[in-house]
């Protein structure tokens, strides 16, 4: 779509992924910090993020033009061109691409460690039983440390959006809501129904795997031994 000097940049699946992930991350940080009865929701939101991350990884290969990783992967040449003011393109610029990959990387670390973590009280990750206690404790410490890195990345992401809006006069939020951007350029193509179904199927499989529903039920506890009253 390229009419009235508007160019389609972000397809609907990419936009839905972006906003659902933003809501899930907010929920994860809040429930993780508050803890208590909300920790169960922390676990459920972690499964949501598992599905979203896998969906985005698949969509980064099968999606439309500007959603594909190959389109915006931040190579040294692209970064250098951007810093020299020579980069011209739609979608993520090279520095924005670094932010995207950093966020996906940290969220993946958070996801994998959270699946086997424990809080020494009442909560254990759905795949906790697949690892030993020592590794679970180590993963728990990584999980708690990495959340600080995640918060820093989110703050930098928001600061960059504000910088572009107020200094460069380039609203990055509007295209992620409406899909199109003012100005000319090659509109996004690809990412059809078959690609969407494949991405959704793999995302659902990831949620199922992360949930631990496929693990066998733990054996029942041994019966209590009664002591004679004499």
């Amino acid at each position: 779509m390229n009419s009235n000097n508007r160019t389609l940049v972000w397809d609907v699946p990419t936009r839905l992924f972006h906003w659902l992930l933003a809501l899930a991350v907010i929920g994860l940080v809040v429930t993780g910090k508050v803890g208590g009865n909300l920790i169960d929701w922390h676990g459920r939101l972690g499964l949501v993020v598992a599905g979203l991350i896998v969906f985005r990884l698949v969509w980064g290969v099968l999606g439309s033009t500007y959603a594909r990783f190959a389109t915006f992967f931040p190579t040294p040449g692209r970064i250098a061109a951007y810093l020299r003011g020579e980069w011209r393109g739609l979608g993520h610029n090279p520095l924005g691409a670094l932010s995207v990959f950093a966020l996906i990387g940290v969220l993946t670390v958070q996801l994998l460690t959270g699946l086997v973590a424990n809080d020494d009280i009442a909560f254990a990750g759905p795949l906790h039983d697949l690892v030993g206690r020592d590794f679970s404790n180590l993963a728990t410490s990584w999980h708690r440390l990495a959340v600080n890195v995640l918060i820093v990345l989110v703050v930098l992401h928001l600061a960059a959006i504000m910088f572009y809006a107020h200094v460069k006069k380039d609203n990055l939020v509007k295209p992620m809501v409406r899909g199109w951007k003012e100005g000319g350029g090659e509109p996004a193509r690809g990412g059809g129904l078959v690609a969407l179904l494949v991405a959704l199927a793999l995302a659902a499989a990831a949620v199922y795997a992360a949930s631990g529903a496929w693990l066998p039920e733990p054996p029942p506890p041994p019966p209590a031994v009664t002591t004679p009253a004499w």
Side-chain angles (χ1 to χ4, degrees), residues 111-203:
L111 171 64
L112 294 177
T113 54
L115 291 176
V116 298
N118 71 89
D119 67 355
D120 284 323
I121 302 174
F123 178 82
L127 303 184
H128 171 270
D129 292 339
L130 294 178
V131 302
R133 183 69 175 181
D134 290 342
F135 185 83
S136 176
N137 289 337
L138 181 61
T140 302
S141 64
W142 290 344
H143 192 74
R144 290 171 176 166
L145 287 173
V147 70
N148 298 315
V149 179
L150 176 62
I151 291 172
V152 169
L153 288 176
V154 170
V155 171
L156 290 175
H157 184 69
L158 295 175
I161 291 173
M162 294 178 63
F163 172 79
Y164 270 82
H166 296 286
V167 177
K168 293 200 168 189
K169 307 303 179 183
D170 186 4
N171 190 326
L172 301 179
V173 175
K174 187 183 294 184
M176 192 56 74
V177 173
R178 298 183 178 181
W180 48 262
K181 190 170 184 176
E182 300 286 353
E186 186 68 21
R189 292 185 174 86
L193 179 60
V194 173
L196 178 61
L197 292 177
V198 170
L200 289 174
L202 291 175

Side-chain angles (χ1 to χ4, degrees), residues 10-20 52 55-56 59 63-64 67 176 191-192 196 199-200:
W10 302 120
D11 55 50
V12 173
T14 301
R15 284 180 274 154
L16 286 176
F17 160 81
H18 180 276
W19 297 114
L20 288 174
L52 289 172
F55 175 87
R56 187 63 183 93
W59 201 244
S64 64
M176 192 56 74
L196 178 61
L200 289 174

Side-chain angles (χ1 to χ4, degrees), residues 1-90:
M1 178 183 67
N2 193 330
S3 59
N4 298 325
N5 209 29
R6 293 176 179 178
T7 302
L8 177 65
V9 178
W10 302 120
D11 55 50
V12 173
T14 301
R15 284 180 274 154
L16 286 176
F17 160 81
H18 180 276
W19 297 114
L20 288 174
L21 184 65
L23 292 174
V25 168
I26 293 172
L28 281 169
V29 172
V30 171
T31 55
K33 293 295 185 182
V34 174
N37 294 331
L38 291 180
I39 201 65
D40 288 333
W41 279 103
H42 188 76
R44 295 185 187 108
L45 287 171
L47 295 179
V48 171
V49 169
L52 289 172
I53 291 296
V54 170
F55 175 87
R56 187 63 183 93
L57 292 176
V58 178
W59 201 244
V61 177
L62 304 179
S64 64
T65 306
Y66 302 106
R68 295 175 191 163
F69 296 141
T71 302
F72 65 88
F73 189 82
T75 63
R78 289 175 178 176
I79 294 174
Y82 179 79
L83 294 177
R84 291 194 302 266
E86 298 173 358
W87 181 84
R88 298 291 181 272
L90 295 174

